[in-house]
Amino acid sequence: MLDGDPATGRSNAFHKPATALLPAFDGARKADWVSLAWSGRRRLRRVEVSFTVDATHTLPASIEVSAWNGHAYVPVHGASVEWATASGTPTVITFDPVRTSRLRLDLTSGHPGAADGAQRIVAFEAR
């Protein structure tokens, strides 16, 4: 997700094979999250995150950005999402500037429980 190679993106898709007692399952979780951390605090006001859209992965229904305040993640203020229009292109989230050493994205699936409801991030940049 951070190495610039789309082939090594981060995906939350999975397939659980059937067992003697349970059927196979590959439905997307309702929500998931991903975070970035770095040494020292930086002033940030924008996140660009590129998602794969294919038979298994979709854009999330919603994204919430939170910044680490030294004790906990707190939602940023003034967030606005400009959704990507093609697979692998950035979804841009702008927000009021924050100084932080960590960011977290909370992703809500657009198709929870479905085989095509997972998210795959191929690039994540914070500025």
Side-chain angles (χ1 to χ4, degrees):
M1 166 171 96
L2 299 176
D3 65 2
D5 182 356
T8 59
R10 183 252 185 213
S11 173
N12 66 351
F14 68 95
H15 176 75
K16 180 116 176 123
T19 66
L21 298 174
L22 299 171
F25 182 76
D26 59 1
R29 291 183 288 275
K30 180 179 178 182
D32 215 336
W33 59 271
V34 63
S35 64
L36 290 179
W38 49 89
S39 60
R41 292 166 48 104
R42 294 174 39 193
R43 184 177 184 267
L44 303 170
R45 62 177 182 226
R46 176 184 179 105
V47 170
E48 294 181 12
V49 58
S50 298
F51 296 94
T52 297
V53 177
D54 60 18
T56 305
H57 304 93
T58 60
L59 291 173
S62 65
I63 302 174
E64 182 178 283
V65 179
S66 297
W68 183 253
N69 69 5
H71 303 287
Y73 284 102
V74 294
V76 297
H77 296 286
S80 176
V81 179
E82 183 180 322
W83 293 100
T85 57
S87 182
T89 61
T91 290
V92 178
I93 308 158
T94 55
F95 44 88
D96 296 344
V98 295
R99 287 193 52 80
T100 187
S101 61
R102 303 180 203 173
L103 277 183
R104 175 176 162 145
L105 300 182
D106 287 283
L107 311 170
T108 302
S109 175
H111 305 273
D116 68 346
Q119 288 89 47
R120 181 172 186 268
I121 298 173
V122 295
F124 184 173
E125 184 176 340
R127 302 189 219 174

